[in-house]
Amino acid sequence: MRRWNTALAALALTTAGLTVTTASAAPTASVPTASVPAAAAQAAAACPTGWGSLTKSVTETSYKPLTNVRTGRHDCFDRMVLDVPGVGSKPIGYRVGYVDTLYQDGSGNPVAVRGGAVIEVRAAAPSYDPATGKATYPARAGQRLPGVDVTGYRTFRDTRFAGSFEGDTQIGLGVRARLPFRVLRLPDKLVIDVAHSWGRKS
């Protein structure tokens, strides 16, 4: 992480989509049928554009241990959340970007990730306690992330744990195609959102 290039400009935080829960529920039965098409059109118009697909990174970090990774579906994007308790509002360093092949740090071995494109997620949050060496996140190199199932997602296709090396955790995120994404640093969390499309919601 310390060898990364200077961080990119801070990402804009939009009001829409900052929750870390799964996708919004469908309209309830109390919503008049006639209003549903209008509501759907309004939601489509609200989908963000302009995130881009270039690598995004921030070097400053607090190096707290990673304890969990989870995913969720939203109206405009699929979301991955890395939980790093104890960071609070302090920064979590990261480097997130598309790669042709995911290579494991240290060994240099390739890690197979399914999908039309692969996003490498590097977070300055080891999967172990730096003081004791005890694992804080029970993932295994080359295997799917524990407890994560992306079946039925519009954008996500696969997740793979590459490992933790020199304080960084490395994850492969397989997606449908090379699509725009953003990275958000929230209290105790690092969030990666990958859009469903390049334009409005399809």
Side-chain angles (χ1 to χ4, degrees):
M1 189 70 64
R2 292 182 290 274
R3 61 181 180 272
W4 293 348
N5 295 329
T6 303
L8 300 176
L11 299 173
L13 295 179
T14 59
T15 303
L18 289 185
T19 59
V20 292
T21 56
T22 55
S24 302
T28 62
S30 61
V31 178
T33 303
S35 69
V36 173
Q42 185 176 18
C47 283
T49 58
W51 292 351
S53 63
L54 297 179
T55 297
K56 300 167 177 63
S57 65
V58 168
T59 56
E60 57 181 341
T61 191
S62 56
Y63 283 106
K64 294 290 184 180
L66 172 75
T67 61
N68 191 36
V69 181
R70 51 203 167 93
T71 59
R73 291 181 285 182
H74 292 257
D75 290 339
C76 300
F77 53 83
D78 290 349
R79 167 168 286 186
M80 173 177 280
V81 180
L82 282 67
D83 291 317
V84 189
V87 172
S89 59
K90 295 178 181 179
I92 301 171
Y94 64 84
R95 182 179 177 88
V96 180
Y98 284 96
V99 294
D100 294 330
T101 302
L102 179 67
Y103 292 101
Q104 185 183 49
D105 279 351
S107 71
N109 294 330
V111 178
V113 185
R114 293 186 301 106
V118 177
I119 296 176
E120 181 183 31
V121 177
R122 291 173 175 267
S127 63
Y128 54 86
D129 185 335
T132 65
K134 183 180 179 180
T136 57
Y137 178 58
R140 303 181 71 176
Q143 301 299 309
R144 291 187 177 92
L145 301 183
V148 173
D149 183 0
V150 295
T151 302
Y153 280 53
R154 289 187 60 185
T155 295
F156 290 175
R157 292 293 181 266
D158 193 15
T159 64
R160 297 285 166 169
F161 184 75
S164 274
F165 184 72
E166 294 185 348
D168 290 354
T169 291
Q170 185 186 19
I171 293 170
L173 175 59
V175 295
R176 187 182 78 250
R178 187 180 178 112
L179 292 161
F181 70 92
R182 68 177 174 180
V183 183
L184 307 175
R185 293 191 296 178
L186 305 180
D188 293 334
K189 298 172 182 65
L190 184 68
V191 178
I192 298 95
D193 294 333
V194 186
H196 291 158
S197 68
W198 274 97
R200 306 294 185 188
K201 185 177 69 171
S202 57

